[in-house]
Amino acid sequence: SVVSEALLLATFICRQPWTIVALLSARTIPPFLELRARGKPARVYALHMGLFVILMAGGWALIDLGSSGGEPSLWGIILLMLAVLIRSGQVPLHTWTTDLFEHATFGTALLFASSMGGAYAAIRLLLPIAPDWALSVIGGVSLATACYASGMALVQREARRFFAYLFLSNSALVLVGLQSATEVGVAGALCVWISVGISLGGFGLTLRAIEARMGRLSLAEYHGLYDHVPTLAAFFLLTGLASVGFPGTFGFVGGELLVDGAVQAYAYVGMAVVVASALNGIAVVQAYFLLFTGRRHPATVSLRRRMRERFAVLGLAALILGGGLYPQ
C-alpha cells in the first residue's frame, strides 16, 4: 500500500508524458502481486491492465514519433482512447473493476480505483491533442457507463460489488464533464473528481469497518446494525449522499457545475447525468436500510466504533461538509 501510494503521488505531480506512462504502468503491479500472494484469481485483472499498458505506451509512441509532422497520429489517438476507456472501467471493459474489489483487499482496490488513473491519463495525454470526435466517443461511452452502472448498483446483492458499480458510475461522470470541453463542464468534472475521491473513499472505509465486524456483507437481507454502530451508519449515509451531490456537501458543487456544463454541450447529456445521479442516490439509501435497519442484530461482543475510526469519520465529514458550505 505504501508503494502504491508513493507511485500515485508521483503520478499526480508529474507532467512529462513518458514518465506519466511509466508511473501509470507501474501502479498496475502492486494489486497484481497482492492477488497472486493471496492465491486469488488474477487473470481478468492482468489481461485488462496488460492491454492498458500496451495501448497507452504504443499510442503515445505513435503520437511522439509524429509530433514533428503537425497533426497527431490518428492511430495513436485511437490507442490512447482505448487505454483510457480500459483504465477507467468503461462498459464493456469494466469487468476488471468488480473482479478487483471482489478478490483483492478492500484497501488495495479502493486505493487503486479511487485515484482514477484513466481520467488523469485523459487529461495529461489525450485531451490536449484529441479532436472533437474523440471527445464525443469518450463522452458517449462514459455516459452509457454512468447510467448502466447506476442501474447495476440498484440490483446488487453483495456489498463490494454494489460499491464497485457505484464507483464506476460516479467516475464515469468525470469523463462526461471532461469531454464537454466547456469551462463550466471541466471545472465540474474536476470538482466531482475530488468529491468522489473524498466521499466514496469515506464510503468505502465505512463498508470496510463494518466488514471487519461482520465479514463479507450481503445486501439480500436486513442486518439491523444501527443500534451497534450509529456513528458509522450516519457517516455511511453522509458519504453516500455526498457522492451523488446532496445539498450542503462538496459533491453538490461539482454536480451542479457538471450538469450545467453538460447541458451547455447537449441537453440530453444533462438529463442522463441527472438520471444516473438519481439512481445512485436510490441505491445508496437502499443499501443504508438493508445494512442498518429492518431488525435488531443480536451481538455478544461490542461493535462500537474505535478511536481511529472516530478520527477518520470526523476528519472526512469535516472535508465533505466544509467543502459544501465553503467550496472556494
Side-chain angles (χ1 to χ4, degrees), residues 140-228:
V141 174
S142 301
L143 192 63
T145 299
C147 295
Y148 168 81
S150 62
M152 289 296 292
L154 272 172
V155 298
Q156 294 305 305
R157 290 295 177 262
E158 203 275 327
R160 287 200 179 194
R161 293 182 66 86
F162 154 75
F163 179 83
Y165 280 111
L166 183 67
F167 173 79
L168 283 176
S169 180
N170 281 277
S171 62
L173 294 178
V174 175
L175 290 180
V176 172
L178 292 176
Q179 68 83 33
S180 66
T182 63
E183 291 184 2
V184 174
V186 173
L190 296 177
C191 283
V192 169
W193 190 343
I194 298 172
S195 170
V196 168
I198 296 174
S199 58
L200 285 186
F203 193 78
L205 290 175
T206 307
L207 275 179
R208 182 65 190 92
I210 300 171
E211 272 192 357
R213 294 162 168 81
M214 305 291 296
R216 289 292 182 99
L217 297 169
S218 170
L219 297 180
E221 59 182 355
Y222 289 97
H223 293 274
L225 296 173
Y226 182 86
D227 289 339
H228 300 283

Side-chain angles (χ1 to χ4, degrees), residues 244-307:
V244 299
F246 192 78
T249 66
F250 188 59
F252 177 73
V253 179
E256 284 293 296
L257 290 172
L258 184 64
V259 172
D260 288 345
V263 169
Q264 288 180 19
Y266 301 100
Y268 72 89
V269 174
M271 294 175 59
V273 169
V274 172
V275 170
S277 298
L279 291 176
N280 286 333
I282 295 172
V284 167
V285 174
Q286 176 180 265
Y288 171 82
F289 284 134
L290 287 168
L291 291 175
F292 298 104
T293 69
R295 67 185 182 93
R296 292 187 178 276
H297 178 78
T300 57
V301 296
S302 174
L303 301 179
R304 293 286 179 178
R305 68 185 186 276
R306 306 295 188 264
M307 184 60 66

Side-chain angles (χ1 to χ4, degrees), residues 102-119:
E102 187 171 352
H103 297 299
T105 59
F106 204 100
T108 296
L110 185 62
L111 179 61
F112 184 75
S114 62
S115 60
M116 298 189 206

